[in-house]
Amino acid sequence: MLDEFVILPFLFAIVAVIIAVKAMNEIGELRRRLDRMEAAAALARAVPPPLPQMFEQGTAPASPGVVAEPPPIAPEAEWTPPAAGPQTEAPTETTAETADGPPAAPPPPLPQPDRGFEETIGTRWVVWIGGLTLALGGFFMVRYSIEAGLLGPGVRVLLGGLFALALLAAGEWTRRKESISTIEATPIANIPAILTAAGTAVAFATVYAAYALYGFLVPATAFILLGLVAMGTLAAALLHGPALAGLGIAGAFVTPVLVSSGKPDFWALYVYLAIVTAAAFGLARVRMWRWLAVTTIVFAVLWTLPCLQCGPSMVAPHVFHVIAGFILAALLVVCGFMFGPSAQEGEIEPISSGSLAAYLFGATLIVLNSSHADAAMVAFGLLVAGSLFVAWRTEAAVGAVGAAAGLVFIVFAEWAIRANPDMLVLPGGPIAGIGPSATDGSVSLHLISAAIFAAGFGVAGFLAQGRSASAVIPVVWSATAVFTPLALLVALYARIANLDRSIPFAILAVILAAAYAAATEILTKREDRPGLQASIALFATGALAALALALTFALEKGWLTIALALMSAGTAWISMQRPIPFLRSLAAILAAIVVLRIGYEPRIVGHAVGTTPIFNWLLWGYGIPALSFWAGSIFLRRGGDDAPLRIVESAAILFTVLLAFMEIRHAVNNGDVYRPSAGLAEVALQVCVALAMAIGLERLRLRTGSVVHNAGAILLTAFAGLTSVFGLLVLENPMLWSMIDVGGVVINLLLLGYALPAVLALLLSYAVAGQRPVEYANTIAAGALILALAYVTFEIRRIYHGPVMAIGPTTGAEQYTYSIAYLAFGVVMLGIGILFNSQRARLASAVVIALTILKAFLIDMSTLTGVYRALSFMCLGLVLVAIGWLYQRILFRRRAATAPAVPTGS
């Protein structure tokens, strides 16, 4: 099919000549129009005679309010170009300037006329269509010659090459003609550039046809020729503009794809790509084309990907590719370093940093694909060191330091995971295919590399403080100085110690913490510079993180949660000493990490939590973080109420509640916190704990005014109420379910499940009285009354039916006992209300007695017989009479005695 490209070059050559002649005619017309416009502009810029000369000629100055008549417009004159040379400038202006003093301001440039439809077609569309036609002409001429059988394959290729040379020659000829005639090319439709682009496209197609269709060229020769065409295109772009450069760079990087071989030579490929990269970077530097540098980097990194599939045995050429590209980018692309563009002080330039980071990324891929081969690791280390060196010399490349730190961690983290695939196991089981197969790596090489990386980033990050006038630069250096050693220490610990206890790693963490603390102390004594406070905060945080890791390495796995929580409190304390907003946010972030950690494994240490009640891993795993978060909230509150404080306060409340609830589940279920069901004892304990914590938060919120404490108290109260209704009174009601055994006669689950919650609810109602709406406090008091009545009822039921209360009929004596107990309870409540002058207690007494009256008439009258019915009504009557007497003789009399005296008028 590609034989069809041979036919049309001759036909389109004729068409091209016609178009070229027409274009030249239009250029001549444009030149004449331009001459007339320049002549008119020269006349408009003519300087009028000086004011004294105007008076000498008899022209009086215009009086105020009289508008002078403008001079007549001179007719358009034919303009003759002046003689070449700088001395042809008009001397009139110079004379006027010398005579009159300072020169007059030059007139503003004349506005350019709008481009009309005809001019747009003639100067743009025709040129673009002509260039495209010329490029396709070579292809169609080949096609015609093939269909007609006029020319053989060799002649077709030769004619295609000649046509390409003709187009290139035409492009150069038109460029020189325009340069000689001082005609400025139209930027969007540059005729020389389009002719040259068409010529290079035909040259590419001709060489490729000679190789792929006809077999005239061996792969090596075709590769060299295509590369030469691409390089020539890049060189021509210096004269013809960016469009040609784009064509050249695309052709240069696509050439290896077009020319394939059964035995690929990676050395030849990467040497060729290095030459192309150097040419592209050089062109981008000379013409300041940022897009060309970015395109070249993208193509170069993409060429690393397919070659990685050839296995780890071909590490050397891949390493050469990334090292050569890195060096070229540092020399020609990075601003302010060697031959790169000039850099602005204190600014991180994206392309400068991104170019180095791109080749570092390629080196990272080589390391990961080669299973951490020695040569790949050495090359990776050299590029990381090169990034630090270049960034040290020019601030434009400091962004590459952060990328290098992240890639270093990726390399070592992947190395650790390869040896410990179980690190990727979730509670639900391992994810199939997520981890690579475990391989043996060179531990000594990685230890040496990690030490070099940690020292390099740490020392450079510390020494970089105070070298920049920008606040961002030192922060980037300090962040990498803190992050990289810590990340490497964690990766080495995971690989070598397998996440078990390791005293040597704990010692290393302590040494690292001491180094960070020393850096913090030294920086605090320096004169304040931009970004210094943030750097101090980062180094101080690094010291806390290293101490937390030391605890983690020296103790059991669950201590990591404790260490992070302690680190949050320590960060909050440092924020109190050094009021840096970042530290407050960091304390909140660490608290959030600990919360997520317990969501992953609520038992903290898995099955090793133990079975001893209270004193097990739950106490340390939840108790110490809870204390840490409470301490951190106290520290943060001194700096104001903000989002970080509220996050830490929420974590403190959450861990306190979870500590109590988890310990309850652990104790009740013999260490099995994942048991799917709960019993009366567990629900009762949770209700009691929730009410007790709600009381504490109600007291605390009055002192702090915290929104979190307020919300926590309400949530715990709501939880206790809902659990009491649906748990104690429905799901775990011992009168409804026969499987519940409440225990002894007095000391039993009823005391824990109903009496104690009733007392706590009553105390909570008094705690919120006067501080929250009346309805809120009365609702809690009503809940306490219901629980108290439930306890009285269930205790009587226990006496008559034994520990399993749902079995057996209700006798008359039991019903009578209920009535007497309710009356007694109401009388006691009334006595308390009178003794303490509590209207709420008296109202509760009235409710209980009203319920007793209803029971007497609705239940006792129909179910009781004989003496029990009589006694029930007799006792009820006596109690009601006694209550009336108490109200008349005691309550109202005391109110009357204490009423204020009415003053008498005089």
Side-chain angles (χ1 to χ4, degrees):
M1 181 180 65
L2 204 32
D3 289 342
E4 299 175 354
F5 286 134
V6 181
I7 302 175
L8 296 181
F10 296 106
L11 177 61
F12 276 93
I14 297 173
V15 176
V17 171
I18 296 173
I19 294 176
V21 171
K22 181 178 180 181
M24 294 303 296
N25 293 334
E26 293 178 349
I27 290 174
E29 178 63 26
L30 287 174
R31 183 183 292 112
R32 288 190 291 272
R33 293 179 59 186
L34 182 61
D35 292 345
R36 288 195 296 270
M37 291 175 63
E38 290 182 353
L43 291 176
R45 290 194 300 268
V47 180
L51 191 60
Q53 296 180 7
M54 295 175 63
F55 288 128
E56 290 176 1
Q57 294 174 1
T59 306
S63 60
V66 179
V67 180
E69 183 179 355
I73 300 176
E76 182 177 351
E78 192 71 18
W79 180 75
T80 304
Q87 63 272 21
T88 59
E89 296 180 1
T92 305
E93 296 180 5
T94 304
T95 305
E97 292 173 5
T98 305
D100 298 339
L110 294 177
Q112 297 294 331
D114 295 336
R115 190 184 301 273
F117 178 73
E118 181 182 3
E119 185 177 358
T120 301
I121 294 178
T123 59
R124 295 187 180 185
W125 296 2
V126 171
V127 176
W128 278 107
I129 296 174
L132 178 62
T133 304
L134 289 175
L136 296 176
F139 303 143
F140 294 155
M141 182 61 72
V142 173
R143 177 178 180 179
Y144 173 75
S145 64
I146 293 173
E147 291 176 350
L150 300 177
L151 303 172
V155 178
R156 300 170 196 162
V157 173
L158 178 62
L159 291 177
L162 293 176
F163 184 60
L165 292 176
L167 290 174
L168 294 174
E172 179 63 17
W173 181 78
T174 54
R175 184 190 69 82
R176 294 190 178 187
K177 288 290 291 181
E178 290 184 355
S179 177
I180 293 174
S181 59
T182 66
I183 295 180
E184 183 180 358
T186 305
I188 199 171
N190 191 346
I191 293 175
I194 292 176
L195 290 175
T196 306
T200 56
V202 175
F204 267 114
T206 301
V207 174
Y208 183 69
Y211 158 72
L213 298 182
Y214 307 127
F216 294 155
L217 302 176
V218 296
T221 304
F223 184 82
I224 293 173
L225 290 177
L226 288 174
L228 290 175
V229 173
M231 298 296 291
T233 305
L234 286 175
L238 282 170
L239 303 173
H240 295 284
L244 199 60
L247 178 62
I249 197 65
F253 279 101
V254 171
T255 291
V257 179
L258 299 178
V259 181
S260 59
S261 174
K263 296 181 179 180
D265 187 351
F266 288 106
W267 279 108
L269 170 64
Y270 286 136
V271 169
Y272 164 78
L273 292 179
I275 296 173
V276 172
T277 302
F281 282 166
L283 178 60
R285 171 64 185 89
V286 172
R287 299 300 296 268
M288 298 299 294
W289 289 338
R290 297 163 61 93
W291 66 268
L292 182 58
V294 173
T295 304
T296 304
I297 293 169
V298 171
F299 274 121
V301 174
L302 289 177
W303 261 113
T304 307
L305 302 179
C307 300
L308 292 175
Q309 306 302 322
C310 298
S313 60
M314 299 297 296
V315 173
H318 303 332
V319 166
F320 167 79
H321 174 57
V322 294
I323 291 180
F326 184 91
I327 294 174
L328 291 172
L331 293 177
L332 299 172
V333 176
V334 176
C335 297
F337 184 79
M338 299 301 288
F339 308 109
S342 59
Q344 295 185 5
E345 183 180 0
E347 181 179 349
I348 299 178
E349 205 277 317
I351 296 180
S352 300
S353 301
S355 60
L356 302 183
Y359 287 104
L360 272 172
F361 176 71
T364 304
L365 294 179
I366 296 172
V367 171
L368 300 182
N369 186 74
S370 63
S371 299
H372 297 251
D374 293 350
M377 283 295 299
V378 171
F380 178 74
L382 291 176
L383 292 191
V384 172
S387 299
L388 294 178
F389 175 73
V390 175
W392 185 267
R393 294 291 302 274
T394 174
E395 295 176 345
V398 171
V401 177
L407 294 174
V408 165
F409 172 68
I410 290 175
V411 167
F412 279 83
E414 194 267 350
W415 177 66
I417 292 174
R418 278 181 178 270
N420 299 280
D422 58 317
M423 293 171 61
L424 301 175
V425 176
L426 299 177
I431 298 178
I434 189 174
S437 60
T439 58
D440 294 330
S442 175
V443 176
S444 59
L445 176 63
H446 284 77
L447 282 175
I448 296 173
S449 302
I452 294 175
F453 287 145
F457 279 97
V459 174
F462 174 74
L463 296 179
Q465 303 305 311
R467 297 181 69 247
S468 175
S470 172
V472 178
I473 304 298
V475 172
V476 174
W477 279 107
S478 58
T480 55
V482 172
F483 167 78
T484 308
L486 290 174
L488 291 175
L489 188 61
V490 171
L492 292 175
Y493 166 73
R495 172 63 187 263
I496 297 173
N498 296 318
L499 300 180
D500 290 331
R501 295 180 58 195
S502 175
I503 299 301
F505 276 101
I507 295 174
L508 289 177
V510 171
I511 294 174
L512 190 59
Y516 286 144
T520 304
E521 185 65 20
I522 294 173
L523 292 177
T524 53
K525 298 179 180 179
R526 292 186 179 180
E527 182 182 358
D528 193 18
R529 293 289 301 273
L532 181 62
Q533 296 301 319
S535 298
I536 292 174
L538 286 170
F539 279 107
T541 305
L544 293 174
L547 288 176
L549 289 178
L551 291 174
T552 303
F553 299 158
L555 303 172
E556 300 292 338
K557 296 179 181 179
W559 286 98
L560 177 59
T561 303
I562 298 174
L564 291 175
L566 293 174
M567 183 178 169
S568 175
T571 305
W573 180 80
I574 293 177
S575 71
M576 185 176 61
Q577 304 298 323
R578 303 284 180 184
I580 301 173
F582 171 74
L583 289 179
R584 299 176 65 86
S585 300
L586 179 60
I589 291 172
L590 292 171
I593 292 175
V594 177
V595 172
L596 294 177
R597 166 67 179 85
I598 64 169
Y600 172 78
E601 174 52 87
R603 297 175 299 179
I604 308 295
V605 291
H607 296 287
V609 66
T611 57
T612 305
I614 307 299
F615 297 99
N616 49 58
W617 247 105
L618 296 175
L619 180 62
W620 321 122
Y622 285 95
I624 296 178
L627 292 175
S628 175
F629 294 145
W630 281 115
S633 65
I634 294 174
F635 297 146
L636 292 178
R637 179 162 293 281
R638 298 181 182 180
D641 190 353
D642 54 4
L645 170 64
R646 295 174 183 178
I647 293 175
V648 175
E649 285 181 339
S650 301
I653 296 174
L654 176 64
F655 268 78
T656 304
V657 173
L658 289 179
L659 170 64
F661 285 4
M662 293 295 288
E663 286 285 11
I664 290 171
R665 282 197 64 82
H666 181 275
V668 173
N669 298 303
N670 195 26
D672 184 12
V673 297
Y674 286 157
R675 184 177 178 180
S677 61
L680 176 60
E682 181 178 350
V683 175
L685 287 172
Q686 289 177 350
V687 171
C688 292
V689 167
L691 290 172
M693 290 184 180
I695 294 172
L697 287 177
E698 289 290 350
R699 298 297 185 185
L700 182 61
R701 77 177 184 88
L702 296 179
R703 297 175 53 188
T704 63
S706 172
V707 177
V708 175
H709 296 162
N710 179 60
I714 294 175
L715 290 175
L716 286 172
T717 303
F719 171 81
L722 293 174
T723 307
S724 298
V725 172
F726 295 102
L728 297 178
L729 299 179
V730 179
L731 298 178
E732 301 297 336
N733 190 328
M735 289 185 63
L736 300 179
W737 311 104
S738 60
M739 71 287 297
I740 299 177
D741 187 340
V742 298
V745 178
V746 177
I747 307 301
N748 50 36
L749 290 179
L750 300 176
L751 191 66
L752 178 66
Y754 300 94
L756 185 57
V759 174
L760 292 173
L762 182 64
L763 294 176
L764 179 60
S765 68
Y766 279 101
V768 302
Q771 305 299 331
R772 293 191 184 274
V774 178
E775 296 80 4
Y776 187 84
N778 290 340
T779 302
I780 298 175
L785 178 62
I786 293 173
L787 289 173
L789 287 176
Y791 172 71
V792 171
T793 303
F794 293 160
E795 185 63 30
I796 295 173
R797 183 79 175 179
R798 166 64 183 83
I799 294 173
Y800 281 94
H801 290 264
V804 180
M805 299 158 42
I807 299 176
T810 302
T811 63
E814 181 180 351
Q815 285 287 3
Y816 176 73
T817 306
Y818 289 143
S819 299
I820 296 299
Y822 293 162
L823 281 175
F825 184 76
V827 171
V828 170
M829 293 296 297
L830 178 61
I832 293 174
I834 294 175
L835 181 62
F836 294 98
N837 192 24
S838 173
Q839 184 183 18
R840 185 180 298 167
R842 295 195 300 271
L843 291 176
S845 171
V847 171
V848 173
I849 293 176
L851 291 175
T852 306
I853 295 173
L854 290 176
K855 178 179 180 300
F857 285 95
L858 297 179
I859 298 177
D860 294 352
M861 185 176 293
S862 59
T863 58
L864 295 181
T865 58
V867 67
Y868 289 116
R869 178 187 296 177
L871 290 176
S872 175
F873 278 88
M874 290 171 60
C875 290
L876 177 61
L878 290 175
V879 168
L880 292 176
V881 172
I883 291 173
W885 182 85
L886 288 173
Y887 268 85
Q888 293 176 8
R889 301 295 180 180
I890 299 177
L891 185 62
F892 287 129
R893 176 178 296 179
R894 185 170 62 184
R895 285 185 175 178
T898 57
V902 180
T904 58
S906 56

